[in-house]
Amino acid sequence: MADNFRQTEILEIARSEGRVEVDTLARRFGISVQTIRKDLAELSLQGALKRVHGGAMLPARLTNIGYEERRALNADAKTRIGKACAALIPENATVFLNIGTTTEAVARALLGHRNLMVVTNNLNIANILSANPSCDVMVAGGFLRRADGGLTGAQTTQVIANFKFDLAVIGCSALDTDGDILDFDLEEVSVSQMIIRQSRKVILAADTAKFERTAPVRIASLEDVDQMVTDAPLPQAMTPPLGNFSTQITIV
């Protein structure tokens, strides 16, 4: 396979899965790990990938990637996370699900639940849960973000302030090594902060791509959520601050 075609396919894998591993690529293409490392080095020089230990990942951005691209990124992991989060949600509960492709996976996993009341600022989640006749859905109003169907702004936070949720599942764009939960949109962050304040239990749903990205706005600390559901062990650099937190980490 010509180098340019192989590198194009490596990029497609990275966009689909968030990162690529040297050993896995070598087996996939039937070539040496040295050749794969050369491919990754060239893609890194082009700015298409960022080298990390054992492989490479999509480079961090100061703006969020497109919603459809995010939906496809780590799709299998998000499905597993969604099912695990849904298993933690009892029937007859009042739940908040916020903006995000991972929280959408949670909504799909809730289609078999009974007697739920779900409040959301995500029109995609409202549409998904409309297929569950045993689930009441309330959409928190606000300004529509057409790119992803999210609702944000003062009206959204005012609606949320009227509730006390049994449980909330929130997503994020990035997770810093000191345990800070990060996002890109200041108004969306204000909504997430209100959700945390108004919920008896908070679950953070985040796949491993969030460990290696960055974003400029702080939502909260992992210390402020009760549980995190993810698809791989947290980076070693995050272990020291986690030792001071009571947050339960669930890996699926």
Side-chain angles (χ1 to χ4, degrees):
M1 181 182 292
D3 288 356
N4 58 333
F5 290 118
R6 186 175 60 247
Q7 289 175 12
T8 297
E9 189 167 346
I10 290 171
L11 272 179
E12 289 301 315
I13 297 168
R15 288 172 182 145
S16 173
E17 300 180 6
R19 62 176 292 158
V20 289
E21 303 288 344
V22 170
D23 291 341
T24 303
L25 290 175
R27 288 194 299 270
R28 180 188 181 106
F29 294 110
I31 56 178
S32 68
V33 294
Q34 290 80 8
T35 302
I36 290 295
R37 289 193 182 104
K38 179 182 176 183
D39 285 335
L40 298 183
E42 291 177 1
L43 289 167
S44 178
L45 285 173
Q46 297 166 21
L49 290 177
K50 175 186 174 183
R51 289 301 307 273
V52 295
H53 180 70
M57 57 173 284
L58 296 176
R61 310 184 188 189
L62 291 179
T63 56
N64 211 351
I65 60 177
Y67 204 68
E68 290 304 321
E69 187 176 349
R70 273 186 282 155
R71 182 175 279 139
L73 190 64
N74 283 359
D76 290 342
K78 289 175 182 177
T79 298
R80 296 197 307 275
I81 292 169
K83 290 177 179 178
C85 288
L88 298 170
I89 298 173
E91 296 184 341
N92 306 299
T94 301
V95 181
F96 197 99
L97 301 178
N98 77 342
I99 301 170
T101 55
T102 310
T103 49
E104 288 179 22
V106 178
R108 285 189 286 273
L110 288 173
L111 289 175
H113 274 52
R114 295 178 57 80
N115 301 326
L116 289 181
M117 180 175 185
V118 175
V119 184
T120 184
N121 62 329
N122 183 335
L123 294 183
N124 299 314
I125 284 175
N127 286 329
I128 290 166
L129 288 174
S130 66
N132 182 348
S134 190
C135 178
D136 292 329
V137 181
M138 180 176 181
V139 178
F143 286 101
L144 173 64
R145 199 164 64 186
R146 289 181 174 84
D148 60 7
L151 296 163
T152 61
Q155 185 177 351
T156 314
T157 55
Q158 287 168 11
V159 170
I160 295 167
N162 291 320
F163 284 85
K164 190 67 176 182
F165 304 104
D166 295 315
L167 189 146
V169 182
I170 64 170
C172 67
S173 292
L175 194 62
D176 209 9
T177 53
D178 60 5
D180 279 342
I181 305 166
L182 307 173
D183 220 312
F184 291 93
D185 187 314
L186 186 59
E187 288 195 337
E188 182 179 350
V189 165
S190 297
V191 171
S192 295
Q193 290 169 341
M194 179 61 78
I195 295 165
I196 291 171
R197 285 197 292 271
Q198 298 303 113
S199 302
R200 294 185 176 91
K201 180 178 180 180
V202 179
I203 299 172
L204 174 66
D207 64 272
T208 50
K210 310 299 169 58
F211 302 162
E212 295 164 331
R213 297 183 65 198
T214 188
V217 189
R218 183 181 184 273
I219 299 172
S221 167
L222 264 180
E223 187 177 16
D224 300 315
V225 305
D226 300 281
Q227 191 163 357
M228 177 181 177
V229 181
T230 186
D231 60 310
L234 273 62
Q236 189 172 2
M238 199 176 288
T239 302
L242 277 178
N244 300 319
F245 300 164
S246 60
T247 310
Q248 180 180 346
I249 308 298
T250 300
I251 301 169
V252 295

